[in-house]
Amino acid sequence: MVMNKEDIQEVKALLSSPQKIVIIPHKNPDGDAIGSTLGLFHFFKNQGQEAVVIAPNDFPKFLKWMPAQEKIINFEKNKLTAKRHIDDATLIFTLDFNHFSRVGDMQESLEKANGTFIMIDHHQEPDDYATVTYSDVSMSSTCEMVYNFIEAINGISKITPEIANCLYTGIMTDTGSFKYSSTTSRTHRVVANLIDNGAENMAIHNKVFNTNSPSRLHILGCALKNMVILEEYNTVYITLSQEELDKYNFKKGDTEGIVNYGLTLDNIIFAVIFIENKEEGIIKISLRSQGDFSVNEFARTHFYGGGHNNAAGGRSDDSLEETTTKFVGLLSNYKEKLKG
């Protein structure tokens, strides 16, 4: 689904008068979530609108260089301030998610909100809470969609270096540095224009990917040591227990991207990482695939999750051992697809 003329006209009409805008990413926001929300934040602020970004919780250290990241309100730590902004909002943009369940403890506040909702997202099966829904699963990233949104309301000439850096970051991270199949010729044209408008592509890459901490490298080593290869199913899975995370002083973002290592092995088309989170009482699951095997369908069917065909997330309420046992037991049902 792309933005139709009616939606564009409605958005233009709304933005033609002063608004109190709240922009929200999903829980545990990644580069695309933070990049898209901050990019839109800068755009609206430059147009004289009152805008604020409220994140459900904290985000990784390797994103804490982004322009205005220090202005993001952490709902988990500042509930009263965040709820006041949500209650007062006339426009609420939800970016990089399409169900209220993806915002954790913020869900109740959003369900009670009186503002007009606008969704910009590229995940499958969007909910119908928004007055304007811009949903396109073929898109590389929500950041590319925010660029399209800005273009649709005639704002491309107003893209500043701050906006360009934010949007470039999200496109770069969500495309795996432009190597995933969702990276189109249009994606490259958007990125080229962002660079022309001030995106510092080399500096961004270094800040995101070359800022390892000892804890991050130790956890990577531990994860790779725990890797299990199931040749019969062309599958790899990795586990990280809470004890292991604590041992290496885990910080948010330290496990980002580890699941992708499994896909670098010959003949592997399905890779999964199971991460124990005792504070939430769950096992967090990230799933990746190559080719036609849909991890979105797998996660939705078995692990309360979803996402894209080749990248999805989920969770389990069972123990780490019970979860991995269940996972391995499920694979026989998918043997034909996994071998194909």
Side-chain angles (χ1 to χ4, degrees):
M1 184 191 302
V2 297
M3 286 194 74
N4 56 45
K5 291 182 179 179
E6 291 77 14
D7 285 343
I8 293 169
Q9 291 306 315
E10 182 164 4
V11 171
K12 284 182 175 179
L14 288 168
L15 294 174
S16 65
S17 60
Q19 301 286 342
K20 292 183 178 180
I21 300 172
V22 168
I23 309 167
I24 299 171
H26 55 74
K27 187 178 180 181
N28 300 318
D30 55 8
D32 192 27
I34 295 297
S36 59
T37 51
L38 283 177
L40 202 57
F41 166 82
H42 286 291
F43 178 77
F44 288 140
K45 293 291 283 186
N46 293 344
Q47 306 311 306
Q49 294 285 2
E50 183 180 336
V52 65
V53 177
I54 303 175
N57 60 348
D58 201 7
F59 53 96
K61 183 179 178 181
F62 60 78
L63 297 173
K64 291 191 174 178
W65 57 269
M66 298 180 71
Q69 60 82 21
E70 72 282 356
K71 295 183 179 179
I72 295 175
I73 298 172
N74 183 332
F75 183 89
E76 198 171 67
K77 294 181 178 179
N78 299 284
K79 282 187 171 63
L80 291 178
T81 300
K83 286 180 179 180
R84 187 181 74 248
H85 280 291
I86 293 170
D87 290 343
D88 293 344
T90 56
L91 275 182
I92 301 175
F93 283 79
T94 62
L95 270 55
D96 205 34
F97 71 95
N98 57 25
H99 290 270
F100 285 160
S101 60
R102 292 287 284 111
V103 296
D105 291 342
M106 286 180 67
Q107 181 170 351
E108 183 179 356
S109 295
L110 293 190
E111 289 173 344
K112 292 179 178 179
N114 294 315
T116 298
F117 280 90
I118 297 177
M119 178 203 300
I120 303 177
D121 178 68
H122 66 137
H123 296 90
Q124 298 187 6
E125 301 181 36
D127 208 347
D128 60 356
Y129 61 79
T131 299
V132 174
T133 296
Y134 176 24
S135 172
D136 189 342
V137 298
S138 70
M139 281 287 162
S140 71
S141 56
T142 299
C143 278
E144 184 174 346
M145 297 179 73
V146 168
Y147 180 97
N148 294 343
F149 172 85
I150 291 172
E151 183 177 56
I153 59 175
N154 304 318
I156 289 298
S157 63
K158 297 166 185 174
I159 289 183
T160 62
E162 290 79 13
I163 296 171
N165 278 313
C166 291
L167 298 185
Y168 183 97
T169 300
I171 297 173
M172 179 190 74
T173 54
D174 242 37
T175 59
S177 295
F178 313 104
K179 69 175 180 283
Y180 297 157
S181 60
S182 59
T183 307
T184 63
S185 59
R186 163 68 178 180
T187 307
H188 284 293
R189 283 191 288 270
V190 168
V191 164
N193 195 42
L194 293 175
I195 293 173
D196 288 343
N197 281 278
E200 300 173 281
N201 52 314
M202 184 181 296
I204 293 171
H205 191 280
N206 285 332
K207 288 172 181 174
V208 172
F209 296 117
N210 295 338
T211 55
N212 281 319
S213 63
S215 66
R216 196 175 184 187
L217 291 181
H218 282 137
I219 287 170
L220 171 61
C222 181
L224 296 179
K225 180 171 64 71
N226 292 347
M227 184 172 65
V228 177
I229 302 172
L230 303 171
E231 293 184 6
E232 182 182 3
Y233 302 113
N234 292 344
T235 294
V236 161
Y237 75 87
I238 292 169
T239 59
L240 281 169
S241 68
Q242 186 69 63
E243 183 180 356
E244 289 168 328
L245 295 174
D246 293 342
K247 177 181 178 180
Y248 296 116
N249 301 309
F250 167 77
K251 303 289 189 302
K252 187 174 286 292
D254 281 348
T255 58
E256 190 84 18
I258 291 178
V259 64
N260 296 313
Y261 280 85
L263 295 181
T264 66
L265 296 170
D266 284 345
N267 301 319
I268 296 300
I269 65 171
F270 187 22
V272 183
I273 187 168
F274 301 93
I275 303 172
E276 186 176 27
N277 186 321
K278 286 202 168 177
E279 183 180 351
E280 295 185 29
I282 62 170
I283 308 300
K284 297 176 66 175
I285 309 171
S286 291
L287 309 92
R288 300 290 185 270
S289 68
Q290 299 186 98
D292 297 330
F293 186 73
S294 174
V295 291
N296 170 65
E297 179 186 332
F298 190 93
R300 285 185 184 276
T301 304
H302 304 294
F303 291 109
Y304 310 102
H308 307 288
N309 281 336
N310 297 121
R315 76 174 199 278
S316 169
D317 298 322
D318 297 326
S319 70
L320 186 58
E321 183 179 356
E322 289 169 337
T323 300
T324 55
T325 299
K326 173 184 175 181
F327 170 73
V328 174
L330 290 168
L331 294 177
S332 61
N333 301 323
Y334 295 87
K335 188 170 184 178
E336 188 175 333
K337 290 183 179 180
L338 289 167
K339 298 302 285 186

